[in-house]
Amino acid sequence: MTLDLTPDELLSTTRAVRKRLDFTRPVPRELIEECVDLAVQAPTGRNRQRWHFLVVTEPQQRRAVADIFLRALAVAGGQPLTERDVWRMNYHSGSTERVFDGLRHLAANIHQVPAFVIPGVEGRTDHAPVAVQAGAWGSILPAVWSFMLAARARGLGTVWTTAQGPLERELAQVLGVPYNEIMLAAFIPLAFTIGTDFKPAPRIPREEVLHWDRW
């Protein structure tokens, strides 16, 4: 069963779902497989198809992975915010606080999420030039976004997180992933959503991001 959404509705309402994940309903394996089948139709650099999708549903394994997520979240950093970052984050009053409120809710309930999807890509790019980085990430991000769109169409919610980054090596060990060969690109909780009535998010005006012929 898929939701009755137009292409524009699907693209504009596939949200980062943190507070409206249904922890009580298991996600059928066949639905996840359908999403992966669609994901791997995405473009891939030089047709290398280096993508992988690790799905964690077994209770003990989920607890172990959730524990890593929480510990990684506590030490996750990131680049300092610029003045423009702060301006954009606060352009619509309250929107950023809602994001962080959702993150706190997700962290408090991460052990209840019925499935985790952890996309990986073959070939590490640690400290590689931008051109190499772009090729690797450009071959996994379209596939993962396609997965998330397919999930939304099936009444499932997702959110791309990278909080596992500081403990990627430990996560790889728990999952049996060869760390030196595979980058774990994200940590995506997956569950049915509580309701399906998602709306477009408030964003800064188009003229702030659209550049024509030159910057």
Side-chain angles (χ1 to χ4, degrees):
M1 175 181 174
T2 58
L3 303 180
D4 184 19
L5 299 171
T6 68
D8 283 1
E9 288 172 333
L10 180 63
L11 288 167
S12 63
T13 65
T14 300
R15 306 262 51 90
V17 185
R18 302 177 182 90
K19 295 190 73 172
R20 292 175 59 182
L21 296 173
D22 189 341
F23 305 130
T24 67
R25 296 176 64 187
V27 180
R29 177 174 179 145
E30 57 268 24
L31 282 188
I32 301 175
E33 291 175 341
E34 288 176 10
C35 293
V36 172
D37 288 344
L38 291 168
V40 298
Q41 290 299 314
T44 169
R46 290 191 280 171
N47 197 32
R48 290 178 295 182
Q49 303 179 60
R50 290 181 170 181
W51 42 48
H52 295 270
F53 291 83
L54 291 86
V55 180
V56 181
T57 57
E58 194 276 324
Q60 184 174 349
Q61 188 77 323
R62 278 194 295 118
R63 285 192 293 271
V65 169
D67 177 68
I68 293 173
F69 174 88
L70 286 176
R71 288 189 286 111
L73 193 65
V75 298
Q79 292 183 324
L81 296 174
T82 68
E83 289 186 11
R84 289 284 292 172
D85 290 332
V86 174
W87 175 79
R88 285 185 289 256
M89 292 167 67
N90 294 284
Y91 187 87
H92 294 279
S93 177
S95 60
T96 296
E97 177 53 35
R98 287 192 293 273
V99 169
F100 284 104
D101 184 53
L103 177 59
R104 289 188 288 268
H105 176 82
L106 177 63
N109 294 280
I110 194 69
H111 292 83
Q112 300 187 70
V113 175
F116 300 125
V117 178
I118 301 168
V121 59
E122 293 181 26
R124 301 205 62 85
T125 61
D126 309 72
H127 312 298
V130 170
V132 176
Q133 296 272 4
W137 292 102
S139 286
I140 186 63
L141 279 161
V144 178
W145 180 233
S146 289
F147 179 94
M148 297 167 85
L149 290 169
R152 160 68 171 146
R154 287 158 177 77
L156 300 168
T158 59
V159 53
W160 173 290
T161 83
T162 56
Q164 88 294 341
L167 300 180
E168 183 198 355
R169 188 184 292 271
E170 182 180 348
L171 181 60
Q173 184 176 12
V174 167
L175 296 172
V177 174
Y179 175 83
N180 292 329
E181 302 172 17
I182 304 290
M183 287 195 304
L184 300 181
F187 185 108
I188 301 174
L190 177 71
F192 282 102
T193 58
I194 300 171
T196 60
D197 55 331
F198 292 91
K199 297 178 174 59
R203 296 296 193 224
I204 61 174
R206 181 201 306 136
E207 54 266 26
E208 294 291 336
V209 299
L210 178 61
H211 307 272
W212 213 275
D213 292 331
R214 59 184 297 132
W215 191 265

